[in-house]
Each structure stands twice: as C-alpha cells, then as structure tokens.
Amino acid sequence: GLSLLTEREKAAISIFGRKSYVRRRDLEEEFSLSIASANRIIKALEEKGCIEQVGKGRSTRYRLKGQGS
C-alpha cells in the first residue's frame, strides 16, 4: 500500500497519476535526480507493485499497474 512508500516515491506516483506513461527522464527532470536515483525510485515502485514497465531499451517507459491493456 501507499503507506509503505517514501515521500519521494509518493511524489513520483503523483506524476504517474498525471500521465499515461512516465519515462525515467521525466522523474530526473521533475525532481532534479541523478539517473541512479531515478532508477532506484522506479525499481522500488516496481517491487512494491505500484508500476509496471512497458517497452524495452530506448522506448522503455512505465505506467501505474492496472492501467490500460
């Protein structure tokens, strides 16, 4: 549940709520994060079952789990 998320993860989730798809770069720009920090947040949200990856390589993006096909 959301109670297990850090403040930054909650903030990231709000971006996922605003957009259909979010790229790592979106998080980097929104929060002035390093690539490593953005990756950590994405990995944590994936492990907590909040988001899922769509696509691979350069077209990798993420969305809230349970949204869309």
Side-chain angles (χ1 to χ4, degrees), residues 14-61:
S14 73
I15 296 178
F16 285 92
R18 291 205 309 265
K19 300 167 163 246
S20 308
Y21 294 101
V22 176
R23 295 167 306 152
R24 188 194 65 215
R25 178 188 292 269
D26 296 327
L27 295 185
E28 290 170 31
E29 290 172 356
E30 184 88 16
F31 301 118
S32 306
L33 296 175
S34 66
I35 291 173
S37 295
N39 275 337
R40 247 197 318 278
I41 290 173
I42 286 170
K43 193 167 177 10
L45 291 176
E46 269 189 303
E47 285 172 356
K48 292 173 185 180
C50 298
I51 63 172
E52 59 191 359
Q53 180 176 330
V54 183
K56 284 192 167 58
R58 289 185 68 79
S59 64
T60 299
R61 51 204 196 284

